[in-house]
């Protein structure tokens, strides 16, 4: 019965491992239901971009910047018997700053909040790590746009999505993660960084993607090109 099958938990059978496979055992927190979490997890695992885009909750909205208070203008009261001057076209315009006056410091921009949900499987992996390991650049970019943290490590070994992408040799994913906020120097529980993973696996492309960031940082000023949209 199709309706009954749709009510069953998603299982590994949907990626061809077997019909009687054990249902997914995901630990879900935040603004996402277990059923939505299963769909999102499977989409990230299989690289189904359309299903992933449909399953992702909307990213949290950044707080609106506070409006700076309007400067108080002192209005001189005319003395008794003094003629008042009619306002001219230049009156009320902003006056140039006095010589030596200090500029008013602007508040730093508030970074957008991180995602209000998380999904972890029985192996301690999150969807971003799975998408990075399979090499799906679009899936990684969708998850990063949803404000998933790029630096969360596996609960067992501490490997982040960047570790996984480097070990698998997905250079384009490495670049997308770095531009999405991944820290190249993050160490796993054994002390190994993403560069160690790439070197141990002989992934030259991943090493070449990492080295400029380790030497000069990430950004247009550092001469690194952003990933394609």
């Amino acid at each position: 019965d199709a309706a009954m099958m749709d009510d069953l938990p998603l299982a590994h059978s949907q990626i061809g491992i077997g019909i009687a496979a054990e249902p997914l055992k995901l630990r879900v927190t935040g603004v996402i239901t277990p059923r939505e979490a299963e769909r999102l997890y499977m989409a990230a695992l299989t690289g189904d971009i359309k299903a992933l885009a449909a399953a992702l909750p909307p990213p949290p909205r950044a707080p609106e910047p506070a409006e700076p208070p309007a400067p108080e203008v002192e209005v001189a009261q005319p003395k008794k018997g003094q003629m008042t001057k009619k306002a001219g076209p230049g009156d009320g315009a902003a006056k140039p700053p006095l010589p030596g006056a200090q500029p008013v410091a602007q508040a730093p921009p508030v970074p957008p909040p991180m995602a209000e949900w998380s999904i972890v499987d029985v192996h301690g992996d999150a969807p971003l790590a799975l998408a990075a390991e399979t090499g799906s650049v679009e899936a990684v970019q969708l998850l990063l746009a949803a404000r998933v943290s790029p630096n969360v490590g596996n609960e067992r070994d501490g490997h982040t999505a960047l570790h996984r992408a480097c070990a698998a040799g997905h250079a384009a994913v490495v670049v997308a993660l770095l531009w999405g906020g991944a820290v190249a120097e993050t160490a796993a529980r054994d002390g190994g960084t993403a560069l160690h993973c790439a070197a141990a696996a002989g992934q030259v492309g991943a090493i070449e993607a990492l080295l400029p960031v380790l030497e000069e940082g990430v950004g247009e000023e550092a001469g690194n090109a952003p990933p394609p949209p």
Side-chain angles (χ1 to χ4, degrees):
D1 182 72
M4 184 179 297
M5 289 296 295
D6 188 59
D7 291 335
L8 294 175
L10 296 174
H12 290 295
S13 59
Q14 293 179 260
I15 54 173
I17 296 179
I19 296 176
E22 183 179 353
L24 297 175
K25 297 179 180 179
L26 302 178
R27 190 165 70 255
V28 183
T29 59
V31 291
I32 187 170
T33 67
R35 184 66 176 176
E36 291 169 339
E38 289 178 335
R39 294 189 183 280
L40 193 157
Y41 177 88
M42 293 301 300
L45 180 64
T46 59
D48 188 337
I49 304 304
K50 185 177 180 180
L52 181 60
L56 278 171
R61 295 181 60 182
E64 296 292 335
E67 291 289 338
E72 296 183 1
V73 179
E74 294 184 2
V75 179
Q77 298 296 329
K79 296 180 181 179
K80 187 176 181 181
Q82 183 179 359
M83 298 292 291
T84 57
K85 179 185 176 183
K86 293 184 178 180
D91 294 340
K95 300 294 189 292
L98 297 174
Q102 296 294 325
V104 178
Q106 298 292 328
V110 179
M114 301 307 295
E116 299 172 341
W117 54 271
S118 65
I119 302 170
V120 181
D121 65 13
V122 292
H123 305 292
D125 284 327
L128 183 63
L130 300 175
E133 189 170 34
T134 57
S136 177
V137 179
E138 289 182 88
V140 167
Q141 290 176 330
L142 275 175
L143 289 163
L144 291 173
R147 299 297 296 153
V148 171
S149 174
N151 296 308
V152 173
N154 178 280
E155 294 182 346
R156 299 182 181 183
D157 56 24
H159 284 183
T160 65
L162 189 60
H163 285 85
R164 296 293 190 83
C166 285
H170 301 307
V173 173
V174 171
V175 174
L177 287 168
L178 292 171
W179 274 82
V183 178
E185 295 86 355
T186 300
R189 296 199 175 185
D190 60 0
T193 65
L195 184 60
H196 291 131
C197 289
Q203 303 293 0
V204 178
I207 294 174
E208 291 176 342
L210 277 172
L211 286 180
V213 175
L214 291 170
E215 294 173 357
E216 304 174 8
V218 65
E220 294 180 358
E221 294 181 358
N224 300 315

